């Protein structure tokens, strides 16, 4: 049987002759990242099998199947999914999946049992598969099968999330690429090699690649090939012919094409994304099940297995959020432009030379293209300047650049004012308070600690690998896993009355804890608050470590716009914390201040930078 024939293996499940069917079942799977459901119809003869499971599964057909992400809210997603079904016509219900299935008031079976039933139902009659490989949002695993189609072993990859579906979607979003874009991508591109050993290393590889100008399509191809490698690693010691691939990642065209190169006769059932739900529906066809309790009584509230932490709102008095009066550009002003090109966001400020007032600023996503992000910053600064001056404009006599993309952005801007972000952030902190001696800075992809003596940074460090103490991990975990936008994190977290105490040692472990909390039915506000706590705990343990904390602590970086984070940091370190004005702009502002200092010291010459020319300057990679 060729690959095209195998991919249509369960095409016999046609939506025809439904009128002669007398028993209908609904199988539901609540997974780590998604919910799915399959409605089956059985003939009267098959349903009257006298309790014999084999006979009862002879002639069902699929009436309907649905699959969708639950974004960290299984109850809401499950209710929405069931709205697509006419529940009054369904006779039996069954649920499978992770811990959350224990909170659903329906008969349930384990995932391995559901996989066995679905496998024996969809496999071609002349094929025996050595394994069913599940490629989901959180984990990849292989169910090793014996010759009877029974599960003999379960193989799982390491805890790291770098090869999973959710991680893949997160990286696409960081590069402003849609899943539909990848489906149209050519398979002939040379993949850019990215690490599969650790999600943090992989994310860094992707960021550094696009910052260097590597085409995003090559990076995406590299991600897909890395994911395929995870699957191949799982099955390396198995017979690799006629393996069945299931899970949401089966829609990843490039990954599947990579796997077909190494796995002869790869089978991808039409029901791949609803495979376990199909098994649950099949099981219900041969068993009496609990009656449907009604939508309002479908779920039990979960208590959860995590320890509880104090609510973040208890620490409001320990954090001071400073503000500043913004200036406005005036015709004839001499200004310094500060640019902070980070892995996640790019920031820019115009600082007036005379009084060091910020007269214009921009904060936007980098989207994996530091030059393009810089050009948009220049355009928006120009719009603000034109709006406030309306006459002869201003003169920009210096351009300071910091951040992970500073080298390529500095080359594009034709400036010698490239500075280290440690210096830039310290310069900005000291500007607002000369007494500051400790600086906590959390950015999109890295986190830094700086100790300042007499206004000069004398000791500093940053996260060496783990991203669990960074802004991107917080944002991605909240939005991709829990469906909470960056703007909603603080409001949601501050509502938590009993935040869950999550693991703080590794991004993958924290992500697993979040999934477990979701499956246990813990309220979303307590999960978000627990996530905020874990970000800060990871920073204290893995970035600051045993380094000293002085008397005046500043906390800055874009993550501090989320006011829940400084509150959690104050709760953990037990000391008052000051958040400076515009904490996300402090790198850009510090770059401008340092640029001015170097000009005054004769280390840099005054120049003439034109915003219009900078915005229009193209770079061909």
């Amino acid at each position: 049987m060729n690959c095209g024939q195998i991919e249509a293996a369960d095409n016999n499940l046609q939506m025809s002759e439904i009128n002669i069917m007398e028993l209908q079942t609904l199988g539901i799977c609540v997974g780590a990242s998604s919910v799915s459901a399959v409605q089956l119809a059985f003939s009267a003869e098959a349903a009257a099998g006298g309790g014999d499971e084999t006979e009862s599964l002879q002639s069902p057909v699929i009436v309907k199947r649905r699959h969708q992400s639950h974004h960290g809210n299984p109850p809401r997603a499950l209710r929405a999914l069931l709205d697509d079904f006419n529940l009054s016509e369904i006779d039996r219900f069954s649920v499978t999946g992770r811990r959350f299935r224990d909170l659903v008031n329906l008969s349930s079976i384990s995932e391995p049992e559901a996989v066995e039933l679905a496998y024996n139902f969809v496999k071609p009659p002349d094929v025996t598969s050595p394994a069913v490989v599940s490629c989901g949002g959180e984990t990849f695993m292989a169910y090793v099968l014996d010759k009877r189609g029974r599960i003999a072993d379960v193989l799982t990859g390491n805890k790291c999330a770098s090869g999973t579906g959710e991680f893949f979607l997160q990286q696409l979003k960081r590069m402003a690429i849609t899943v539909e874009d990848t489906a149209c991508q050519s398979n002939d591109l040379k993949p850019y090699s990215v690490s599969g050993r650790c999600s943090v290393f992989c994310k860094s590889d992707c960021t550094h690649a696009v910052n260097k100008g590597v085409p995003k399509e090559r990076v995406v191809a590299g991600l897909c090939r890395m994911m395929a490698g995870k699957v191949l690693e799982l099955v390396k010691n198995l017979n690799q012919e006629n393996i069945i691939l299931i899970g949401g990642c089966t829609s990843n065209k490039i990954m599947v094409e990579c796997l077909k190169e190494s796995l002869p006769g790869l089978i991808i059932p039409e029901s791949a994304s609803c495979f376990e739900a199909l098994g649950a529906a099949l099981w219900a066809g041969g068993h009496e099940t609990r009656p449907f309790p009604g939508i309002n009584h479908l779920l039990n509230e979960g208590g959860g297995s995590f320890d509880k932490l104090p609510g973040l709102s208890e620490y409001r008095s320990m954090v001071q959020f400073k503000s500043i009066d913004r200036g406005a550009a005036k015709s004839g002003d001499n200004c310094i432009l500060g640019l902070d090109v980070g892995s996640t966001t790019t920031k820019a400020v115009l600082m007036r030379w005379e009084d060091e007032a910020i007269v214009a600023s921009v904060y936007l996503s980098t989207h994996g293209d530091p030059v393009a992000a810089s050009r948009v910053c220049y355009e928006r600064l120009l719009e603000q300047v034109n709006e406030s001056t309306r006459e002869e404009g201003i003169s920009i006599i210096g351009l300071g650049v910091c951040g992970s993309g500073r080298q390529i952005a500095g080359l594009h801007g034709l400036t010698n004012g490239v500075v280290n972000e440690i210096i830039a952030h310290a310069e900005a902190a000291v500007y607002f308070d000369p007494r500051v001696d400790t600086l906590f800075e959390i950015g999109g992809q890295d986190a830094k600690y700086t100790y300042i003596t007499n206004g000069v940074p004398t000791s500093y460090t940053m996260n060496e690998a783990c991203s669990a103490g960074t802004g991107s991990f917080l944002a991605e975990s909240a939005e991709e896993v829990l469906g909470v936008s960056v703007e909603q994190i603080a409001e949601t977290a501050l509502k938590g009355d009993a935040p869950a105490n999550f693991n703080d040692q590794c991004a993958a472990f924290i992500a697993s804890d979040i999934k477990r909390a979701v499956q246990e039915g813990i309220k979303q506000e307590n999960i978000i608050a627990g996530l905020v706590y874990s970000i800060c705990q990871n920073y204290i343990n893995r970035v600051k470590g045993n380094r000293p904390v002085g008397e005046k602590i500043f906390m800055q970086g874009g993550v501090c716009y989320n006011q829940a984070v400084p509150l959690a940091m104050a709760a953990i370190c037990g000391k008052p914390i000051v958040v400076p004005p515009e904490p996300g702009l402090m790198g850009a502002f510090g770059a401008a201040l340092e640029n001015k200092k170097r000009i005054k010291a004769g280390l840099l010459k005054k120049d003439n930078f034109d915003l219009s020319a900078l915005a229009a300057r193209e770079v061909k990679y």
Side-chain angles (χ1 to χ4, degrees):
M1 183 176 291
N2 63 40
C3 190
Q5 292 172 317
I6 290 177
E7 286 185 353
D10 57 340
N11 276 346
N12 60 304
L13 309 177
Q14 299 298 320
M15 301 176 192
S16 59
E17 301 181 6
I18 302 302
N19 58 316
I20 68 170
M21 302 302 173
E22 295 189 12
L23 175 70
Q24 303 220 15
T25 68
L26 185 69
I28 301 166
C29 179
V30 185
S33 305
S34 61
V35 294
S36 56
V38 174
Q39 181 179 351
L40 292 182
F42 293 81
S43 68
E45 178 182 359
D52 185 273
E53 185 177 317
T54 303
E55 290 184 8
S56 72
L57 301 179
Q58 292 302 305
S59 57
V61 296
I62 290 180
V63 179
K64 185 183 293 185
R65 56 182 168 230
R66 294 288 185 270
H67 174 268
Q68 68 183 54
S69 297
H70 59 57
H71 298 299
N73 195 330
R76 181 177 62 194
L78 181 56
R79 292 188 180 97
L81 192 76
L82 293 178
D83 284 343
D84 282 346
F85 295 86
N86 184 355
L87 301 180
S88 64
E89 69 182 20
I90 296 172
D91 303 289
R92 298 177 184 174
F93 298 80
S94 177
V95 62
T96 187
R98 305 296 178 88
R99 290 178 176 85
F100 188 79
R101 72 182 173 94
D102 296 329
L103 303 180
V104 183
N105 292 319
L106 297 173
S107 299
S108 68
I109 63 172
S110 67
E111 276 189 315
E113 188 175 0
V115 168
E116 283 186 357
L117 290 168
Y119 163 74
N120 284 291
F121 185 69
V122 307
K123 82 175 187 70
D126 57 342
V127 169
T128 299
S129 298
V132 174
V133 177
S134 175
C135 301
E138 184 188 20
T139 56
F140 283 7
M141 64 176 62
Y143 296 98
V144 182
L145 305 173
D146 61 21
K147 292 182 179 180
R148 297 177 302 161
R150 299 291 186 179
I151 294 175
D153 196 5
V154 180
L155 307 176
T156 59
N158 61 33
K159 195 76 171 177
C160 187
S162 65
T164 63
E166 280 190 359
F167 179 80
F168 178 68
L169 294 177
Q170 289 170 0
Q171 304 322 301
L172 292 187
K173 186 171 183 180
R174 286 165 66 87
M175 294 185 284
I177 297 174
T178 66
V179 175
E180 292 73 23
D181 292 335
T182 66
C184 301
Q185 188 169 312
S186 170
N187 292 330
D188 298 329
L189 283 169
K190 180 182 179 182
Y192 182 84
S193 179
V194 297
S195 171
R197 181 166 63 92
C198 171
S199 60
V200 182
F201 295 157
C202 184
K203 185 189 298 186
S204 295
D205 285 349
C206 296
T207 299
H208 295 322
V210 293
N211 279 355
K212 291 187 297 184
V214 176
K216 295 179 183 178
E217 293 78 9
R218 285 189 58 203
V219 178
V220 171
L223 280 168
C224 295
R225 187 163 290 275
M226 179 271 291
M227 294 171 69
K230 293 276 188 176
V231 175
L232 296 176
E233 180 68 20
L234 274 178
V235 301
K236 65 181 180 180
N237 295 323
L238 303 178
N239 173 12
Q240 298 188 353
E241 187 172 358
N242 298 332
I243 283 175
I244 291 181
L245 191 70
I246 64 171
C249 289
T250 54
S251 61
N252 185 323
K253 172 188 169 186
I254 303 175
M255 185 191 86
V256 169
E257 290 301 318
C258 291
L259 289 174
K260 286 180 179 179
E261 296 172 4
S262 302
L263 301 178
L266 182 68
I267 301 173
I268 303 177
E270 286 186 351
S271 301
S273 63
C274 305
F275 200 77
E276 294 88 344
L278 172 62
L282 289 166
W283 181 86
H287 296 79
E288 290 295 334
T289 63
R290 296 165 62 180
F292 189 75
I295 289 293
N296 293 333
H297 302 285
L298 183 61
L299 303 172
N300 290 318
E301 188 72 29
S305 61
F306 295 93
D307 292 334
K308 305 300 187 292
L309 295 167
L312 291 171
S313 59
E314 297 180 20
Y315 298 93
R316 291 182 186 272
S317 62
M318 294 184 66
V319 181
Q320 180 184 4
F321 294 92
K322 288 196 170 187
S323 60
I324 187 175
D325 292 330
R326 299 287 292 270
K330 298 178 294 186
S331 297
D333 276 348
N334 288 321
C335 293
I336 301 287
L337 198 162
L339 186 68
D340 180 1
V341 187
S343 57
T344 305
T345 57
T346 297
K347 291 76 63 177
V349 301
L350 272 179
M351 181 191 77
R352 186 158 45 220
W353 175 276
E354 181 183 9
D355 58 3
E356 297 174 341
I358 296 175
V359 297
S361 66
V362 181
Y363 193 111
L364 49 79
S365 296
T366 305
H367 288 315
D369 193 334
V371 171
S374 300
R375 292 176 64 192
V376 174
C377 283
Y378 300 140
E379 289 176 4
R380 296 187 183 177
L381 288 175
L382 182 60
E383 292 171 1
Q384 295 176 46
V385 169
N386 288 341
E387 185 176 345
S388 61
T389 59
R390 299 185 183 279
E391 295 179 18
E392 62 187 77
I394 63 172
S395 296
I396 300 175
I397 58 176
L399 170 56
V401 186
C402 70
S404 63
R406 62 188 180 276
Q407 298 298 340
I408 192 169
L411 286 171
H412 172 264
L414 301 179
T415 178
N416 292 320
V418 176
V419 300
N420 183 292
E421 55 261 45
I422 297 290
I423 295 173
H425 276 275
E427 193 74 32
V430 171
Y431 175 85
F432 286 107
D433 192 334
R435 299 170 299 169
V436 61
D437 54 16
T438 309
L439 185 58
F440 296 164
E441 193 258 310
I442 298 182
Q445 190 163 307
D446 54 32
K448 306 179 187 71
Y449 157 92
T450 305
Y451 197 81
I452 300 172
T453 305
N454 296 325
V456 178
T458 54
S459 176
Y460 59 87
T461 188
M462 65 184 294
N463 59 323
E464 295 179 353
C466 188
S467 67
T470 65
S472 63
F473 179 76
L474 173 62
E476 290 165 357
S477 297
E479 188 161 5
E480 301 298 330
V481 181
L482 300 166
V484 176
S485 69
V486 173
E487 295 78 15
Q488 296 172 314
I489 291 175
E491 179 184 358
T492 304
L494 289 172
K495 291 178 182 176
D497 56 354
N501 188 7
F502 294 144
N503 190 299
D504 59 66
Q505 295 302 306
C506 170
F509 295 160
I510 297 173
S512 292
D513 278 356
I514 293 170
K515 298 284 178 55
R516 179 154 63 93
V518 168
Q519 296 292 323
E520 291 180 358
I522 294 177
K523 291 190 296 185
Q524 190 176 70
E525 54 264 36
N526 286 325
I527 297 177
I528 291 290
L531 172 61
V532 171
Y533 262 115
S534 70
I535 297 297
C536 295
Q537 191 68 57
N538 182 278
Y539 176 92
I540 292 296
N541 289 338
R542 298 176 69 88
V543 180
K544 186 197 80 68
N546 59 4
R547 295 171 180 85
V549 174
E551 298 301 318
K552 195 72 172 182
I553 306 171
F554 264 41
M555 187 172 180
Q556 52 200 47
V559 74
C560 293
Y561 287 122
N562 175 349
Q563 295 194 1
V565 177
L567 295 180
M569 192 69 81
I572 292 168
C573 70
K575 288 193 173 186
I577 286 178
V578 176
V579 179
E582 300 290 356
L585 298 178
M586 290 300 96
F589 184 54
L593 288 169
E594 179 64 20
N595 196 269
K596 177 180 177 180
K597 179 188 289 187
R598 294 182 182 184
I599 290 174
K600 292 180 68 175
L603 300 175
L604 284 175
K605 293 182 179 180
K606 290 184 180 180
D607 208 331
N608 183 27
F609 296 91
D610 182 84
L611 287 173
S612 179
L614 287 168
R617 186 176 296 152
E618 296 184 4
V619 172
K620 294 183 179 181
Y621 297 116

